[in-house]
Amino acid sequence: MNGESILLFNVSPNPVSGNVLSVNYNALKIPVVFSLFDASGRLLNVAKSYDVSGVYKMNHSGSGLNLPTGQYFIRMETPENSLTRPVLIIR
């Protein structure tokens, strides 16, 4: 594996009707950056997590975003890799 971390993550619930998305990922001992994009690819929010537990909660309304119903994407990045997952927000 050449020292690289294997990235695995999912978003729940999906679709989400509340204000909090839970991102569950394999616990890593390195900083993880989560980015939230709308369907057009516009960056809406960036958050860093140093929690090695493997769970990150993103409050998409508490951050002032107040997102309408639609398709969004969450990207998880480490210094070595990145993965993107779709998420549907329903109001």
Side-chain angles (χ1 to χ4, degrees), residues 26-83:
N26 56 314
L28 302 170
K29 295 183 181 181
I30 55 177
V32 177
V33 177
F34 296 99
S35 303
L36 180 65
F37 298 88
D38 66 12
S40 70
R42 183 173 52 120
L43 178 63
L44 302 174
N45 193 20
V46 176
K48 292 183 181 179
S49 177
Y50 298 95
D51 185 357
V52 296
S53 69
V55 177
Y56 174 74
K57 300 214 182 277
M58 178 183 286
N59 183 337
H60 58 80
S61 70
S63 60
L65 294 175
N66 230 1
L67 300 174
T69 294
Q71 180 76 49
Y72 297 87
F73 297 90
I74 295 180
R75 182 171 64 203
M76 176 180 167
E77 294 177 84
T78 69
E80 300 164 344
N81 293 304
S82 70
L83 279 177

